[in-house]
Amino acid sequence: MPAADKVKSSWADEVELDYGGLPPSTEVIENGHKYVTEYKFNNDDKKTKVLRTYKITKQVVPKVVARRKNLPKFGDSENDKPGPNSHTTMVSEDVYMQFLSAKDEEKSNENVLDPLKNIAKCRICNGDHWSVNCPYKGTAMDTSKLMENKAPATTTTVDSGSKTGKYVPPFMKDIQKAGGPGGRGRDDTSAIRISNLSESMTEADLEELVKKFGPHNKMYLARDKNTGLCKGFAYVHFKLRKDAAAAIELLNGHGYDHLILNVEWSKPQNN
């Protein structure tokens, strides 16, 4: 039978007969596509035919990039075709950069240029909000701030007699407390007592509260010895009695830190 005598050979056998080995690769460009045909051996030492299809597109690049693509190759890639060779060239991933315009920079600087946002400053966390609305109020951070402010408040003054190291008789101490020979005791005529204060009250807050009424000689904020928190009352000694009267008139019944203040004249100390 003539049909049985003809045995169809594979393309690999035909290639081996024609070229005696692997033929060179070919490239064909048609309809905006490039077809690349290559021949190589696989893992089983069998000839394989690889057909790759590329889509040709035009891309506008800077002149520097176009000039760099036309540079001649050298070294192991001197005889390579245009484009990277995977055996001698490693192509890294594309790096995309985002450039900010002038409008984006203005938006980022709005918080810095806006003066209204820097009015309030929290004494607990130094944030741009009032201390009353601080989320850390009553936490360990608030307590540590109070303990730091406790040091200057607990300093006590030493009498001039004790500074010299000399012995001062008890009756001389009473005279010094009374303001000297013939003097009277503590002057409470311009002293006021502020009560119903919150535990987070500090000397700085008390100073801010009463300084607008006039100058004062001294003030005392009662604190707990163990926790260092405010005990709820304080004393302020003004230089002028009219300033103390104005403070009582305006602060008594005034809302401060979610509490209603109670301000009255300080009762004289019994000798």
Side-chain angles (χ1 to χ4, degrees):
M1 299 177 63
D5 298 338
K6 294 182 180 179
V7 179
K8 292 184 178 180
S9 62
S10 63
W11 62 267
D13 297 334
E14 294 177 358
V15 166
E16 185 175 1
L17 293 174
D18 295 339
Y19 298 96
L22 293 179
S25 60
T26 59
E27 295 182 1
V28 179
I29 299 176
E30 293 180 356
N31 300 327
H33 291 77
K34 183 173 70 172
Y35 303 94
V36 180
T37 305
E38 296 179 351
Y39 302 90
K40 63 180 181 179
F41 291 99
N42 58 9
N43 297 331
D44 298 334
D45 293 335
K46 294 182 179 181
K47 299 182 180 66
T48 58
K49 181 179 179 181
V50 181
L51 178 63
R52 292 187 177 92
T53 304
Y54 300 92
K55 183 179 180 181
I56 300 175
T57 58
K58 292 183 179 181
Q59 184 179 5
V60 180
V61 296
K63 294 181 179 180
V64 179
V65 178
R67 192 183 305 114
R68 185 168 59 247
K69 288 185 177 181
N70 295 328
L71 292 176
K73 296 186 178 182
F74 58 92
D76 295 338
S77 300
E78 183 177 1
N79 298 323
D80 292 345
K81 297 179 181 180
N85 186 358
S86 59
H87 297 284
T88 58
T89 306
M90 182 180 64
V91 181
S92 60
E93 297 180 356
D94 296 336
V95 179
Y96 299 96
M97 300 182 65
Q98 182 179 3
F99 298 94
L100 296 177
S101 61
K103 294 183 179 180
D104 296 335
E105 293 180 358
E106 290 178 0
K107 290 181 181 180
S108 62
N109 295 332
E110 281 182 357
N111 297 333
V112 180
L113 299 178
D114 192 356
L116 298 178
K117 294 184 179 180
N118 298 326
I119 293 178
K121 187 175 183 181
C122 180
R123 67 171 183 271
I124 300 174
C125 64
N126 296 328
D128 295 336
H129 54 264
W130 301 106
S131 302
V132 178
N133 302 326
C134 182
Y136 300 100
K137 184 177 180 181
T139 60
M141 181 185 294
D142 190 6
T143 307
S144 62
K145 291 287 184 181
L146 293 175
M147 296 302 293
E148 292 176 2
N149 297 329
K150 181 182 176 182
T154 55
T155 54
T156 56
T157 58
V158 184
D159 296 336
S160 59
S162 61
K163 288 182 179 179
T164 58
K166 297 180 181 180
Y167 171 74
V168 180
F171 71 91
M172 289 297 296
K173 295 182 179 179
D174 296 337
I175 293 176
Q176 291 177 359
K177 292 180 180 180
R184 57 188 181 89
R186 187 182 65 182
D187 185 12
D188 293 328
T189 57
S190 61
I192 62 174
R193 184 178 187 273
I194 306 175
S195 58
N196 204 21
L197 298 173
S198 64
E199 293 183 348
S200 60
M201 192 71 176
T202 62
E203 284 77 6
D205 296 335
L206 183 61
E207 175 76 20
E208 187 70 21
L209 183 64
V210 302
K211 71 177 183 180
K212 57 185 178 181
F213 298 104
H216 56 276
N217 294 326
K218 58 182 178 178
M219 62 181 183
Y220 170 74
L221 180 65
R223 290 183 177 275
D224 188 85
K225 294 182 179 180
N226 297 326
T227 62
L229 301 176
C230 176
K231 296 175 67 175
F233 65 93
Y235 293 94
V236 180
H237 295 255
F238 287 92
K239 292 184 179 180
L240 301 177
R241 184 177 175 83
K242 63 177 183 178
D243 297 337
I248 293 176
E249 182 179 358
L250 296 178
L251 292 181
N252 189 26
H254 174 70
Y256 185 81
D257 205 359
H258 301 290
L259 296 175
I260 304 299
L261 300 179
N262 184 18
V263 186
E264 58 185 355
W265 292 104
S266 177
K267 296 180 181 180
Q269 189 180 29
N270 295 329
N271 294 329

